[in-house]
Amino acid sequence: MPVAIDTHGLRKRFGKTDVLAGLDLSVPTGSVFALLGPNGAGKTTTINILTTLVRPDSGIARVAGFDVASAPEQVKQRIALTGQSAAVDEVLTGIENLVMMGRLSGLGRHAARDRAAELLERFDLTEAARRRVGTYSGGMRRRLDLALSLVVDVPILFLDEPTTGLDTRSRQELWRVIRSLAEAGTTVFLTTQYLEEADRLADRIAVLDRGRIAAEGTADELKSRVGGVVVELRSADGALLLELPTDGSVHGLRAAIDELDRSPAAAAAVGAQVAIRRPSLDDVFLAITARAAASAPELIESK
Ligand SMILES: Nc1ncnc2c1ncn2[C@@H]1O[C@H](COP(=O)(O)OP(=O)(O)OP(=O)(O)O)[C@@H](O)[C@H]1O
Ligand SMILES: [Mg+2]
């Protein structure tokens, strides 16, 4: 499968921090790729480099077959970016925003209007088209923002935390839109802090940890990397007290149960019960990032 985005040894340092410490990525054309990481992991920095807004200190990044450093114009013609800070004008209506963007992108008056109407329809904003954006909900705004970045058809779309701050319903609406773009053949590169989002949307997921890709694969591949089972300790009324990922071996399970047994939470809770379950992507994330921090798995204290 042809590659839409690939990077080799990408590095970026801000002050004394290596935000990216040798990033290697490969995103197949037509796929949805999720770069997953906590606050400050370097997600926006990665997007900024791939969209030519920031230069890497070293390493190579190619987008749509063009080098971001030597051919930024060719890259820019083939991408759209919806960032963490929205580009919408609150005083204008939805349709005015879209028509203005179309005109700025070189469309004629009629073409800009047609394109705006088509995008409003596609993003479920037709009814709100003539309202000022200042009155839109967070989810509507995010959909308009996405529509604005698609006024000109591009093969590769970058979405920086597309659903952060949205409620469940708006998030699901946006997921639907993103999936339909992917089904129509757009390569989508998104960043997220939500494991569920990566799980639901992405063909492949890369976990960004301390400036490097700590793990990469499909959601199922990542889950099977953790393997085994998670041992949990629940109070008599079912509240989760502690949980511990294990490799699923007899030895691993016994060690985990011993560790739970020794824990202050177990000692304090009368009638606490042990249960085991399959790992979730959350467990994968914790296991991968904990493994990178120290070779031994950590006991994860739940809130
Ligand atoms: N222009 C800059 N100057 C100095 N430091 C920066 C700059 N841009 C980013 N950083 C630092 O680089 C690190 C990574 O930032 P980045 O915005 O890429 O993280 P992120 O994964 O997008 O986080 P978030 O989830 O909060 O959006 C942070 O520690 C940030 O403070
Ligand atoms: Mg960011």
Side-chain angles (χ1 to χ4, degrees):
M1 200 185 284
V3 171
I5 301 164
D6 67 322
T7 74
H8 300 280
L10 216 52
R11 290 180 165 271
K12 184 72 194 178
R13 168 178 275 247
F14 286 118
K16 291 197 167 111
T17 315
D18 281 317
V19 175
L20 300 181
L23 199 67
D24 299 314
L25 288 175
S26 177
V27 179
T29 299
S31 67
V32 179
F33 188 91
L35 185 63
L36 187 67
N39 280 130
K43 301 181 298 296
T44 300
T45 302
T46 304
I47 288 225
N48 284 346
I49 291 172
L50 294 175
T51 57
T52 77
L53 298 173
V54 164
R55 287 182 82 94
D57 295 335
S58 61
I60 294 170
R62 274 184 299 256
V63 174
F66 293 96
D67 188 291
V68 294
S70 62
E73 289 308 318
Q74 278 88 339
V75 171
K76 275 190 243 171
Q77 283 164 19
R78 289 164 178 84
I79 62 169
L81 165 65
T82 303
Q84 274 180 300
S85 47
V88 294
D89 187 327
E90 307 226 331
V91 181
L92 300 181
T93 66
I95 195 163
E96 285 166 349
N97 265 286
L98 284 162
V99 169
M100 187 176 74
M101 182 62 89
R103 299 288 281 154
L104 289 172
S105 310
L107 296 181
R109 204 151 47 87
H110 286 293
R113 289 219 147 253
D114 289 350
R115 185 68 178 152
E118 184 190 326
L119 287 164
L120 288 163
E121 178 76 34
R122 180 147 137 215
F123 291 90
D124 225 355
L125 291 167
T126 304
E127 269 177 43
R130 289 174 199 288
R131 266 168 49 198
R132 281 176 173 209
V133 173
T135 69
Y136 282 20
S137 70
M140 291 163 76
R141 231 175 248 249
R142 216 64 75 83
R143 294 206 300 279
L144 180 64
D145 206 33
L146 191 52
L148 282 166
S149 62
L150 295 171
V151 164
V152 176
D153 253 325
V154 291
I156 304 176
L157 178 62
F158 290 90
L159 302 171
D160 196 6
E161 298 197 28
T163 67
T164 295
L166 296 184
D167 61 25
T168 308
R169 193 169 150 207
S170 306
R171 176 170 298 159
Q172 286 172 350
E173 278 169 9
L174 212 67
W175 285 350
R176 182 179 55 73
V177 170
I178 295 168
R179 265 198 303 267
S180 76
L181 287 168
E183 277 158 22
T186 306
T187 303
V188 179
F189 183 103
L190 65 95
T191 70
T192 184
Q193 300 186 36
Y194 304 116
L195 291 148
E196 192 196 356
E197 182 157 283
D199 202 358
R200 293 283 281 274
L201 285 178
D203 300 305
R204 299 187 75 75
I205 300 167
V207 179
L208 188 59
D209 188 49
R210 274 154 274 219
R212 286 203 173 81
I213 301 301
E216 203 253 318
T218 64
D220 283 344
E221 279 167 7
L222 292 180
K223 284 177 194 167
S224 72
R225 271 180 67 149
V226 175
V229 293
V230 177
V231 178
E232 8 172 273
L233 182 71
R234 290 185 179 271
S235 66
D237 60 6
L240 184 62
L241 300 171
L242 285 172
E243 55 185 348
L244 191 61
T246 82
D247 60 6
S249 69
V250 173
H251 174 77
L253 274 172
R254 184 178 294 135
I257 290 169
D258 284 346
E259 192 154 356
L260 288 179
D261 200 26
R262 284 195 302 271
S263 71
V270 180
Q273 300 274 316
V274 168
I276 62 175
R277 63 175 169 79
R278 301 291 306 165
S280 65
L281 262 193
D282 280 295
D283 300 317
V284 176
F285 189 71
L286 289 168
I288 289 166
T289 51
R291 197 176 301 147
S295 49
E298 285 170 24
L299 200 60
I300 298 144
E301 194 119 16
S302 63
K303 286 185 225 95

